[in-house]
Amino acid sequence: MLVRAALRTSRLSSLATAQRRLASSLVFLEHKNGKLNDSSLNAVTAAQSLGSDTAGIVVGSKSDVDGVLEEVKKIDGLTKIYTAASDSYSHSLAENVAPLLASVLPAKNISHIFAAHTAVGKNVFPRLAGLLDSSMIADIVALESSGDVFTRPIYAGNAILKIKSSPKDKFKIVTVRTTAFDEAKTGGGSAAVEEVEAFSGDASTKYVSEELTISSRPDLSSASRVVSGGRALKSQENFNKILDPLADALGAAVGASRAAVDAGYADNSLQVGQTGKVVAPELYVAAGISGAIQHLAGMKESKMIVAINKDPDAPIFQVADVGLVADLFEAVPELTKKVEGAKA
């Protein structure tokens, strides 16, 4: 009995090892205007942590693919880069991109596909999961080498959930919280490039237009410094007048709480929090933000948090590394002068 049990355990262990060896990962490499989205590098790191072969796929119009391909080829650790070029992929519509990915995974023996938990990833991957009849595993912060156990935050980051995907799911469809993984290194890549046949299915959705907020400041999602404002700024004019000079002095991106966005002080693209963007910069300055749980979920992983609020009992001070109880209309301009003076 003991010998049989030992043999059975050994066989199961060997089978699990073989499955891990056969497993391979694919990373959906997001890009725009000929430039790779840095968040995709975090997804590459997550995929590589499985220890299996990791490939990337670039999808877009021919000019888009050609424009970003040289940058993609420099990513370290990718064994192959698949490309799919068609005008129908120009704007990453889920209705067009998901059928393509659904055809590539079984054809290339891919077991795991990863993407950054961005607007594009959150749009394409649920549809892909539906097409493949597999569970969607969203916003992970860790994964085990077995490839079927993942960790993700729930309840605005106040609890951590460890989940095991069903053995019935042939494909693991995963989006990655970018702040939880380092960016993959670039410069030493030498992956071969293989073109796959464009396939978009019968999509009834058509791209019409988009309205973008253009800014010369760093991208909020990947900025090393962020200056955010809350409802205490009282108006859009004050928001811009008080925060912009400090952001410019620090070379920082500008963010906002949901309350400030709802009040019309800032554009929706600047919202930080559970229903906005999740950031983890080296420096996060929160001016006039009370620290609601939804906001903390989007910035509490920041390396240095500086809070300015006239309410000494504001929850933001519980997570802040440096706190200043003061009127932001006086403190922020003074801080701006100090920073500008130090740079002079």
Side-chain angles (χ1 to χ4, degrees), residues 39-78:
S39 61
S40 292
L41 296 175
N42 305 99
V44 170
T45 298
Q48 290 175 338
S49 67
L50 289 178
S52 58
D53 289 342
T54 303
I57 185 166
V58 181
V59 179
S61 67
K62 190 176 188 312
S63 60
D64 289 339
V65 171
D66 291 344
V68 78
L69 190 56
E70 287 303 315
E71 185 179 0
V72 169
K73 287 164 65 175
K74 295 178 182 178
I75 301 174
D76 293 358
L78 293 184

mmCIF file of all heavy atoms in Angstrom, residues 39-78:
data_model
loop_
_atom_site.group_PDB
_atom_site.id
_atom_site.type_symbol
_atom_site.label_atom_id
_atom_site.label_comp_id
_atom_site.label_asym_id
_atom_site.label_seq_id
_atom_site.Cartn_x
_atom_site.Cartn_y
_atom_site.Cartn_z
ATOM 1 N N SER A 39 3.479 49.566 -19.337
ATOM 2 C CA SER A 39 2.787 48.610 -18.482
ATOM 3 C C SER A 39 2.898 47.182 -19.019
ATOM 4 O O SER A 39 2.818 46.209 -18.262
ATOM 5 C CB SER A 39 1.321 48.998 -18.325
ATOM 6 O OG SER A 39 0.657 49.014 -19.570
ATOM 7 N N SER A 40 3.103 47.048 -20.319
ATOM 8 C CA SER A 40 3.264 45.719 -20.899
ATOM 9 C C SER A 40 4.541 45.046 -20.407
ATOM 10 O O SER A 40 4.627 43.814 -20.338
ATOM 11 C CB SER A 40 3.285 45.801 -22.426
ATOM 12 O OG SER A 40 2.015 46.173 -22.936
ATOM 13 N N LEU A 41 5.547 45.836 -20.057
ATOM 14 C CA LEU A 41 6.788 45.272 -19.525
ATOM 15 C C LEU A 41 6.563 44.632 -18.162
ATOM 16 O O LEU A 41 7.213 43.640 -17.804
ATOM 17 C CB LEU A 41 7.859 46.365 -19.431
ATOM 18 C CG LEU A 41 8.298 46.986 -20.759
ATOM 19 C CD1 LEU A 41 9.276 48.134 -20.519
ATOM 20 C CD2 LEU A 41 8.925 45.936 -21.674
ATOM 21 N N ASN A 42 5.628 45.188 -17.384
ATOM 22 C CA ASN A 42 5.279 44.564 -16.103
ATOM 23 C C ASN A 42 4.588 43.229 -16.324
ATOM 24 O O ASN A 42 4.803 42.260 -15.586
ATOM 25 C CB ASN A 42 4.378 45.493 -15.290
ATOM 26 C CG ASN A 42 4.976 46.869 -15.076
ATOM 27 O OD1 ASN A 42 4.632 47.811 -15.777
ATOM 28 N ND2 ASN A 42 5.872 46.995 -14.117
ATOM 29 N N ALA A 43 3.748 43.174 -17.360
ATOM 30 C CA ALA A 43 3.063 41.927 -17.688
ATOM 31 C C ALA A 43 4.059 40.864 -18.148
ATOM 32 O O ALA A 43 3.886 39.676 -17.857
ATOM 33 C CB ALA A 43 2.009 42.177 -18.766
ATOM 34 N N VAL A 44 5.109 41.275 -18.850
ATOM 35 C CA VAL A 44 6.147 40.335 -19.278
ATOM 36 C C VAL A 44 6.829 39.713 -18.060
ATOM 37 O O VAL A 44 7.066 38.503 -18.012
ATOM 38 C CB VAL A 44 7.184 41.035 -20.181
ATOM 39 C CG1 VAL A 44 8.396 40.132 -20.422
ATOM 40 C CG2 VAL A 44 6.558 41.432 -21.516
ATOM 41 N N THR A 45 7.142 40.534 -17.072
ATOM 42 C CA THR A 45 7.768 40.032 -15.848
ATOM 43 C C THR A 45 6.880 39.003 -15.158
ATOM 44 O O THR A 45 7.357 37.960 -14.691
ATOM 45 C CB THR A 45 8.071 41.188 -14.882
ATOM 46 O OG1 THR A 45 8.989 42.089 -15.504
ATOM 47 C CG2 THR A 45 8.680 40.685 -13.581
ATOM 48 N N ALA A 46 5.583 39.291 -15.094
ATOM 49 C CA ALA A 46 4.651 38.350 -14.479
ATOM 50 C C ALA A 46 4.655 37.025 -15.236
ATOM 51 O O ALA A 46 4.699 35.947 -14.630
ATOM 52 C CB ALA A 46 3.244 38.940 -14.450
ATOM 53 N N ALA A 47 4.619 37.083 -16.551
ATOM 54 C CA ALA A 47 4.604 35.868 -17.364
ATOM 55 C C ALA A 47 5.892 35.069 -17.189
ATOM 56 O O ALA A 47 5.870 33.837 -17.085
ATOM 57 C CB ALA A 47 4.392 36.236 -18.835
ATOM 58 N N GLN A 48 7.012 35.762 -17.129
ATOM 59 C CA GLN A 48 8.298 35.080 -17.014
ATOM 60 C C GLN A 48 8.487 34.405 -15.660
ATOM 61 O O GLN A 48 9.294 33.484 -15.529
ATOM 62 C CB GLN A 48 9.441 36.068 -17.273
ATOM 63 C CG GLN A 48 9.528 36.526 -18.725
ATOM 64 C CD GLN A 48 10.567 37.596 -18.955
ATOM 65 O OE1 GLN A 48 10.960 38.306 -18.031
ATOM 66 N NE2 GLN A 48 11.010 37.742 -20.200
ATOM 67 N N SER A 49 7.743 34.839 -14.662
ATOM 68 C CA SER A 49 7.874 34.237 -13.326
ATOM 69 C C SER A 49 7.390 32.789 -13.303
ATOM 70 O O SER A 49 7.675 32.058 -12.350
ATOM 71 C CB SER A 49 7.103 35.065 -12.288
ATOM 72 O OG SER A 49 5.707 34.993 -12.521
ATOM 73 N N LEU A 50 6.678 32.360 -14.332
ATOM 74 C CA LEU A 50 6.249 30.960 -14.414
ATOM 75 C C LEU A 50 7.404 30.037 -14.776
ATOM 76 O O LEU A 50 7.328 28.827 -14.579
ATOM 77 C CB LEU A 50 5.136 30.799 -15.457
ATOM 78 C CG LEU A 50 3.770 31.384 -15.109
ATOM 79 C CD1 LEU A 50 2.802 31.184 -16.266
ATOM 80 C CD2 LEU A 50 3.212 30.730 -13.850
ATOM 81 N N GLY A 51 8.470 30.612 -15.331
ATOM 82 C CA GLY A 51 9.622 29.813 -15.696
ATOM 83 C C GLY A 51 9.464 29.056 -16.998
ATOM 84 O O GLY A 51 10.283 28.196 -17.335
ATOM 85 N N SER A 52 8.419 29.354 -17.750
ATOM 86 C CA SER A 52 8.186 28.683 -19.033
ATOM 87 C C SER A 52 8.560 29.620 -20.174
ATOM 88 O O SER A 52 8.916 30.778 -19.962
ATOM 89 C CB SER A 52 6.721 28.277 -19.153
ATOM 90 O OG SER A 52 5.873 29.411 -19.039
ATOM 91 N N ASP A 53 8.492 29.097 -21.413
ATOM 92 C CA ASP A 53 8.753 29.944 -22.571
ATOM 93 C C ASP A 53 7.743 31.091 -22.599
ATOM 94 O O ASP A 53 6.549 30.890 -22.374
ATOM 95 C CB ASP A 53 8.626 29.141 -23.865
ATOM 96 C CG ASP A 53 9.764 28.154 -24.044
ATOM 97 O OD1 ASP A 53 10.792 28.327 -23.363
ATOM 98 O OD2 ASP A 53 9.621 27.213 -24.840
ATOM 99 N N THR A 54 8.222 32.289 -22.875
ATOM 100 C CA THR A 54 7.357 33.464 -22.919
ATOM 101 C C THR A 54 7.499 34.155 -24.259
ATOM 102 O O THR A 54 8.603 34.531 -24.670
ATOM 103 C CB THR A 54 7.715 34.459 -21.791
ATOM 104 O OG1 THR A 54 7.625 33.798 -20.529
ATOM 105 C CG2 THR A 54 6.774 35.644 -21.804
ATOM 106 N N ALA A 55 6.380 34.316 -24.939
ATOM 107 C CA ALA A 55 6.353 35.012 -26.225
ATOM 108 C C ALA A 55 5.511 36.277 -26.083
ATOM 109 O O ALA A 55 4.788 36.450 -25.096
ATOM 110 C CB ALA A 55 5.764 34.110 -27.301
ATOM 111 N N GLY A 56 5.616 37.150 -27.048
ATOM 112 C CA GLY A 56 4.800 38.365 -27.062
ATOM 113 C C GLY A 56 4.019 38.439 -28.354
ATOM 114 O O GLY A 56 4.406 37.818 -29.356
ATOM 115 N N ILE A 57 2.924 39.174 -28.335
ATOM 116 C CA ILE A 57 2.161 39.382 -29.560
ATOM 117 C C ILE A 57 1.846 40.858 -29.713
ATOM 118 O O ILE A 57 1.433 41.530 -28.756
ATOM 119 C CB ILE A 57 0.867 38.538 -29.597
ATOM 120 C CG1 ILE A 57 0.157 38.705 -30.950
ATOM 121 C CG2 ILE A 57 -0.068 38.862 -28.429
ATOM 122 C CD1 ILE A 57 -0.928 37.672 -31.215
ATOM 123 N N VAL A 58 2.086 41.378 -30.926
ATOM 124 C CA VAL A 58 1.822 42.772 -31.252
ATOM 125 C C VAL A 58 0.709 42.799 -32.296
ATOM 126 O O VAL A 58 0.825 42.177 -33.350
ATOM 127 C CB VAL A 58 3.082 43.463 -31.816
ATOM 128 C CG1 VAL A 58 2.785 44.922 -32.136
ATOM 129 C CG2 VAL A 58 4.235 43.357 -30.835
ATOM 130 N N VAL A 59 -0.354 43.515 -31.989
ATOM 131 C CA VAL A 59 -1.531 43.566 -32.851
ATOM 132 C C VAL A 59 -1.817 45.016 -33.208
ATOM 133 O O VAL A 59 -1.808 45.895 -32.351
ATOM 134 C CB VAL A 59 -2.753 42.946 -32.136
ATOM 135 C CG1 VAL A 59 -3.984 43.019 -33.030
ATOM 136 C CG2 VAL A 59 -2.467 41.508 -31.741
ATOM 137 N N GLY A 60 -2.071 45.290 -34.475
ATOM 138 C CA GLY A 60 -2.391 46.650 -34.895
ATOM 139 C C GLY A 60 -2.389 46.748 -36.409
ATOM 140 O O GLY A 60 -2.296 45.745 -37.120
ATOM 141 N N SER A 61 -2.499 47.975 -36.903
ATOM 142 C CA SER A 61 -2.366 48.185 -38.342
ATOM 143 C C SER A 61 -0.915 47.915 -38.735
ATOM 144 O O SER A 61 -0.031 47.846 -37.875
ATOM 145 C CB SER A 61 -2.754 49.620 -38.706
ATOM 146 O OG SER A 61 -1.815 50.530 -38.156
ATOM 147 N N LYS A 62 -0.667 47.765 -40.026
ATOM 148 C CA LYS A 62 0.700 47.443 -40.463
ATOM 149 C C LYS A 62 1.683 48.521 -40.046
ATOM 150 O O LYS A 62 2.791 48.230 -39.587
ATOM 151 C CB LYS A 62 0.745 47.258 -41.979
ATOM 152 C CG LYS A 62 2.082 46.697 -42.459
ATOM 153 C CD LYS A 62 2.087 46.423 -43.941
ATOM 154 C CE LYS A 62 3.358 45.695 -44.356
ATOM 155 N NZ LYS A 62 4.587 46.272 -43.832
ATOM 156 N N SER A 63 1.291 49.780 -40.176
ATOM 157 C CA SER A 63 2.199 50.874 -39.787
ATOM 158 C C SER A 63 2.436 50.874 -38.280
ATOM 159 O O SER A 63 3.555 51.146 -37.825
ATOM 160 C CB SER A 63 1.627 52.219 -40.239
ATOM 161 O OG SER A 63 0.355 52.456 -39.651
ATOM 162 N N ASP A 64 1.407 50.562 -37.496
ATOM 163 C CA ASP A 64 1.554 50.513 -36.038
ATOM 164 C C ASP A 64 2.510 49.399 -35.628
ATOM 165 O O ASP A 64 3.396 49.585 -34.785
ATOM 166 C CB ASP A 64 0.200 50.291 -35.364
ATOM 167 C CG ASP A 64 -0.706 51.508 -35.445
ATOM 168 O OD1 ASP A 64 -0.178 52.613 -35.652
ATOM 169 O OD2 ASP A 64 -1.933 51.345 -35.314
ATOM 170 N N VAL A 65 2.315 48.214 -36.225
ATOM 171 C CA VAL A 65 3.149 47.061 -35.894
ATOM 172 C C VAL A 65 4.600 47.316 -36.288
ATOM 173 O O VAL A 65 5.525 47.075 -35.504
ATOM 174 C CB VAL A 65 2.613 45.790 -36.578
ATOM 175 C CG1 VAL A 65 3.605 44.632 -36.409
ATOM 176 C CG2 VAL A 65 1.257 45.402 -35.997
ATOM 177 N N ASP A 66 4.801 47.810 -37.499
ATOM 178 C CA ASP A 66 6.162 48.093 -37.966
ATOM 179 C C ASP A 66 6.836 49.148 -37.097
ATOM 180 O O ASP A 66 8.043 49.078 -36.835
ATOM 181 C CB ASP A 66 6.136 48.565 -39.417
ATOM 182 C CG ASP A 66 5.741 47.461 -40.392
ATOM 183 O OD1 ASP A 66 5.781 46.286 -39.981
ATOM 184 O OD2 ASP A 66 5.375 47.779 -41.540
ATOM 185 N N GLY A 67 6.047 50.121 -36.620
ATOM 186 C CA GLY A 67 6.616 51.214 -35.839
ATOM 187 C C GLY A 67 7.083 50.797 -34.459
ATOM 188 O O GLY A 67 8.032 51.373 -33.920
ATOM 189 N N VAL A 68 6.453 49.795 -33.869
ATOM 190 C CA VAL A 68 6.781 49.405 -32.493
ATOM 191 C C VAL A 68 7.622 48.137 -32.440
ATOM 192 O O VAL A 68 8.180 47.797 -31.395
ATOM 193 C CB VAL A 68 5.484 49.216 -31.665
ATOM 194 C CG1 VAL A 68 4.811 47.877 -31.974
ATOM 195 C CG2 VAL A 68 5.750 49.348 -30.171
ATOM 196 N N LEU A 69 7.758 47.435 -33.557
ATOM 197 C CA LEU A 69 8.401 46.119 -33.556
ATOM 198 C C LEU A 69 9.847 46.164 -33.086
ATOM 199 O O LEU A 69 10.289 45.288 -32.317
ATOM 200 C CB LEU A 69 8.319 45.495 -34.953
ATOM 201 C CG LEU A 69 8.745 44.027 -35.062
ATOM 202 C CD1 LEU A 69 7.944 43.161 -34.109
ATOM 203 C CD2 LEU A 69 8.585 43.528 -36.503
ATOM 204 N N GLU A 70 10.607 47.158 -33.522
ATOM 205 C CA GLU A 70 12.016 47.235 -33.119
ATOM 206 C C GLU A 70 12.144 47.402 -31.611
ATOM 207 O O GLU A 70 13.044 46.831 -30.985
ATOM 208 C CB GLU A 70 12.713 48.394 -33.853
ATOM 209 C CG GLU A 70 12.969 48.131 -35.318
ATOM 210 C CD GLU A 70 13.793 46.873 -35.546
ATOM 211 O OE1 GLU A 70 14.796 46.676 -34.826
ATOM 212 O OE2 GLU A 70 13.418 46.088 -36.436
ATOM 213 N N GLU A 71 11.237 48.167 -31.016
ATOM 214 C CA GLU A 71 11.261 48.356 -29.567
ATOM 215 C C GLU A 71 10.900 47.055 -28.855
ATOM 216 O O GLU A 71 11.507 46.690 -27.842
ATOM 217 C CB GLU A 71 10.286 49.467 -29.167
ATOM 218 C CG GLU A 71 10.326 49.823 -27.694
ATOM 219 C CD GLU A 71 9.359 50.938 -27.334
ATOM 220 O OE1 GLU A 71 8.643 51.436 -28.231
ATOM 221 O OE2 GLU A 71 9.308 51.317 -26.141
ATOM 222 N N VAL A 72 9.933 46.346 -29.382
ATOM 223 C CA VAL A 72 9.492 45.080 -28.787
ATOM 224 C C VAL A 72 10.594 44.035 -28.855
ATOM 225 O O VAL A 72 10.798 43.250 -27.916
ATOM 226 C CB VAL A 72 8.218 44.573 -29.503
ATOM 227 C CG1 VAL A 72 7.899 43.141 -29.096
ATOM 228 C CG2 VAL A 72 7.037 45.482 -29.185
ATOM 229 N N LYS A 73 11.335 43.998 -29.948
ATOM 230 C CA LYS A 73 12.399 43.004 -30.123
ATOM 231 C C LYS A 73 13.520 43.169 -29.094
ATOM 232 O O LYS A 73 14.304 42.240 -28.874
ATOM 233 C CB LYS A 73 12.963 43.106 -31.545
ATOM 234 C CG LYS A 73 12.020 42.553 -32.605
ATOM 235 C CD LYS A 73 12.401 42.990 -34.001
ATOM 236 C CE LYS A 73 13.721 42.450 -34.447
ATOM 237 N NZ LYS A 73 13.991 42.812 -35.876
ATOM 238 N N LYS A 74 13.591 44.309 -28.447
ATOM 239 C CA LYS A 74 14.639 44.562 -27.455
ATOM 240 C C LYS A 74 14.290 44.024 -26.068
ATOM 241 O O LYS A 74 15.127 44.034 -25.167
ATOM 242 C CB LYS A 74 14.907 46.071 -27.349
ATOM 243 C CG LYS A 74 15.473 46.685 -28.623
ATOM 244 C CD LYS A 74 15.666 48.182 -28.458
ATOM 245 C CE LYS A 74 16.191 48.820 -29.742
ATOM 246 N NZ LYS A 74 16.329 50.298 -29.602
ATOM 247 N N ILE A 75 13.047 43.554 -25.875
ATOM 248 C CA ILE A 75 12.637 43.056 -24.553
ATOM 249 C C ILE A 75 13.383 41.765 -24.239
ATOM 250 O O ILE A 75 13.351 40.806 -25.011
ATOM 251 C CB ILE A 75 11.118 42.815 -24.503
ATOM 252 C CG1 ILE A 75 10.359 44.103 -24.806
ATOM 253 C CG2 ILE A 75 10.704 42.274 -23.140
ATOM 254 C CD1 ILE A 75 8.855 43.922 -24.919
ATOM 255 N N ASP A 76 14.037 41.725 -23.095
ATOM 256 C CA ASP A 76 14.791 40.550 -22.691
ATOM 257 C C ASP A 76 13.854 39.383 -22.357
ATOM 258 O O ASP A 76 12.798 39.584 -21.745
ATOM 259 C CB ASP A 76 15.646 40.856 -21.455
ATOM 260 C CG ASP A 76 16.761 41.846 -21.754
ATOM 261 O OD1 ASP A 76 16.884 42.257 -22.926
ATOM 262 O OD2 ASP A 76 17.502 42.203 -20.819
ATOM 263 N N GLY A 77 14.271 38.194 -22.740
ATOM 264 C CA GLY A 77 13.587 36.995 -22.280
ATOM 265 C C GLY A 77 12.456 36.488 -23.138
ATOM 266 O O GLY A 77 11.909 35.420 -22.859
ATOM 267 N N LEU A 78 12.054 37.219 -24.162
ATOM 268 C CA LEU A 78 10.993 36.734 -25.040
ATOM 269 C C LEU A 78 11.585 35.747 -26.043
ATOM 270 O O LEU A 78 12.595 36.029 -26.690
ATOM 271 C CB LEU A 78 10.319 37.887 -25.781
ATOM 272 C CG LEU A 78 9.513 38.885 -24.935
ATOM 273 C CD1 LEU A 78 8.833 39.913 -25.831
ATOM 274 C CD2 LEU A 78 8.475 38.171 -24.078
#
